[in-house]
Amino acid sequence: GNTFALVVADATTPASLATLADRILASFREPLEYGTQGLVVGVSLGLALAPGDADGAEELLDKASQALRKAKADGGSRCVFYNKELHNRFARRILLENGLRRAIQERRMTLHYQPLVNPETNRVQAVEALLRWPTGKGTFVPPADFLPVAEETGLMIPLGEWVFQEACAQAARWASGPVGPLPVSVNLSGTELRHGQPLRTIREALASSGLSPELLVVEICENALLEEREAAESLFRELRALGVKVFIDDFGTGYSSLAYLRDFSLDGLKVDKSFVTRLPQDSRDLALVSAILEMARALGLETVVEGIETPEQRQAVQGVGYTCIQGFLYSRPQAPLQLEALLKAKNF
């Protein structure tokens, strides 16, 4: 594979080991000759010392592996020493991963739904399905804690398949009941795009639920498009041919925003909430939001402004051309029954 263990018998202090690590890193900075080309190979190092960090070979290798994971997570091309804090973080991560596996197997994951509201009519235009992990104590594991673990371990593939199945089934129940047709947005992760079979997953979810494709919106983060451009372009064409809408999520946080708008087969975009947080105080953010929405309108795209939490933020973006607003000002994500009560009360 691409992982190697180096045993250094005469490195008795962190300083001597760090000196060797620096030499290894430096040796990889020069391109390697391969035929007529020069190839640059990145390298990350995780370092551990015995007897300070471990008493035996197996434990020492385990501690070095923990440090290596940290080096890779920090961007690679660096060395990281094992320490107690790193061990505690690794232990918490293992507990989280094992708990997530059990929650998936025992079907304890749930979906909550956050409304997308037309501020002119105060009507809910659609909802976004958001994954939640109940603890059983009336609280939830924060998505920011478990979603990265799901991405890194491959658990996002079965999770994503379940999310599409459940969201489509719920939207179909609403469409045939008192709520009526209500489009539902589902996020597609970069991991699902790279390693899953999203087109098959979506087709099966639509077929098994009987949901009309026009009531499903697939959202994908802009950064995922950067990494999997060809796969995304092909998937978007197929989805739109089915009648499913496609949105870019977190728009404005990637590197090729204008090219995406020009080249991809899209229905809309969601302006990232980072542009909204400092409104109305920051006039530059307002100018950026206005420019993004103006471009989208000129291209015939629908638009959603995310992260609206205060009346002042809503007032700041009024009149700049968005289709919907999403944020805590209108509603936090709700369980299906709570959302139905909210829709019935029309209390926005």
Side-chain angles (χ1 to χ4, degrees), residues 111 113 165-175 209 211 336-337 340:
L111 289 183
Y113 299 86
Q165 288 282 348
E166 180 63 22
C168 288
Q170 181 61 68
R173 288 192 290 268
W174 280 331
S209 65
L211 181 69
L337 290 178
E340 290 170 22

Side-chain angles (χ1 to χ4, degrees), residues 82-143:
Y82 169 83
N83 58 49
K84 189 65 176 177
E85 180 186 352
L86 188 62
H87 173 74
N88 291 338
R89 187 184 310 170
F90 183 75
R92 288 194 299 270
R93 152 72 187 246
I94 293 297
L95 287 174
L96 194 64
E97 179 183 337
N98 291 338
L100 182 58
R101 289 184 186 277
R102 286 195 302 273
I104 295 172
Q105 292 170 355
E106 297 169 5
R107 299 184 179 276
R108 288 191 280 114
M109 307 302 288
T110 64
L111 289 183
H112 283 198
Y113 299 86
Q114 187 173 32
L116 281 64
V117 180
N118 183 325
E120 295 182 0
T121 63
N122 276 350
R123 291 180 62 86
V124 176
Q125 301 289 98
V127 292
E128 179 181 359
L130 297 165
L131 190 60
R132 293 294 182 263
W133 177 6
T135 63
K137 302 175 182 178
T139 59
F140 297 90
V141 179

Side-chain angles (χ1 to χ4, degrees), residues 146 220 241:
F146 74 82
I220 185 165

Side-chain angles (χ1 to χ4, degrees), residues 4-195:
F4 302 87
L6 182 63
V7 181
V8 185
D10 57 350
T12 57
T13 66
S16 59
L17 194 56
T19 299
L20 176 59
D22 286 340
R23 286 173 53 200
I24 294 173
L25 287 173
S27 70
F28 278 89
R29 292 192 184 108
E30 293 298 321
L32 304 175
E33 292 185 8
Y34 181 76
T36 59
Q37 299 182 6
L39 302 179
V40 177
V41 179
V43 61
S44 302
L45 292 92
L47 313 176
L49 278 164
D53 296 329
D55 295 323
E58 186 174 347
E59 185 183 6
L60 184 65
L61 187 59
D62 180 60
K63 300 295 176 61
S65 296
Q66 293 179 34
L68 176 60
R69 292 190 184 192
K70 181 67 167 64
K72 291 180 177 179
D74 287 347
S77 297
R78 66 192 65 213
C79 61
V80 169
F81 274 91
Y82 169 83
N83 58 49
K84 189 65 176 177
E85 180 186 352
L86 188 62
H87 173 74
N88 291 338
R89 187 184 310 170
F90 183 75
R92 288 194 299 270
R93 152 72 187 246
I94 293 297
L95 287 174
L96 194 64
E97 179 183 337
N98 291 338
L100 182 58
R101 289 184 186 277
R102 286 195 302 273
I104 295 172
Q105 292 170 355
E106 297 169 5
R107 299 184 179 276
R108 288 191 280 114
M109 307 302 288
T110 64
L111 289 183
H112 283 198
Y113 299 86
Q114 187 173 32
L116 281 64
V117 180
N118 183 325
E120 295 182 0
T121 63
N122 276 350
R123 291 180 62 86
V124 176
Q125 301 289 98
V127 292
E128 179 181 359
L130 297 165
L131 190 60
R132 293 294 182 263
W133 177 6
T135 63
K137 302 175 182 178
T139 59
F140 297 90
V141 179
D145 288 349
F146 74 82
L147 285 178
V149 174
E151 293 268 6
E152 293 165 14
T153 58
L155 291 173
M156 201 66 233
I157 304 298
L159 260 181
E161 292 173 354
W162 176 83
V163 169
F164 273 104
Q165 288 282 348
E166 180 63 22
C168 288
Q170 181 61 68
R173 288 192 290 268
W174 280 331
S176 61
V179 171
L182 186 64
V184 60
S185 294
V186 179
N187 291 285
L188 181 71
S189 70
T191 298
E192 293 170 89
L193 185 61
R194 279 190 297 275
H195 304 300

